[in-house]
Amino acid sequence: RIRRLFHVITDLLIACFCGFLALQGFKYTILKGSTIITGINLPQGYLYISQTIGGVIMILFVIEHIISEMKVSDDKIEEG
């Protein structure tokens, strides 16, 4: 029971960090979105949008992990 609690707390901390990454990536995308990278003539926003998308995907993965952890723990409680 305590172990499951620590797993959930750890996952929530990871989700908070990923949310921070996504938020900062979004801010940089807005701030630097129109600045052109000289060598390849692409907006810098393309570099930072990947950070935002990656953060959101990691948050979704953590949410899925929490849900599956709860299901496994509930199944073990019902069996035992």
Side-chain angles (χ1 to χ4, degrees), residues 60-78:
L60 293 173
F61 175 77
V62 169
I63 290 170
E64 185 271 333
H65 187 260
I66 290 172
I67 291 170
S68 66
E69 182 75 27
M70 293 294 196
K71 284 183 180 178
V72 168
S73 296
D74 290 342
D75 290 344
K76 286 182 181 179
I77 290 172
E78 289 175 4

Side-chain angles (χ1 to χ4, degrees), residues 7 12 26 30 38 42 74 80:
H7 281 278
L12 290 175
F26 182 74
I30 299 299
T38 307
L42 286 175
D74 290 342

Side-chain angles (χ1 to χ4, degrees), residues 22-37 43-49 51-52:
L23 183 63
Q24 291 301 314
F26 182 74
K27 286 180 182 179
Y28 286 136
T29 300
I30 299 299
L31 184 67
K32 299 283 187 178
S34 60
T35 305
I36 302 295
I37 300 172
Q44 266 189 336
Y46 288 171
L47 296 175
Y48 295 114
I49 196 71
Q51 180 179 347
T52 304

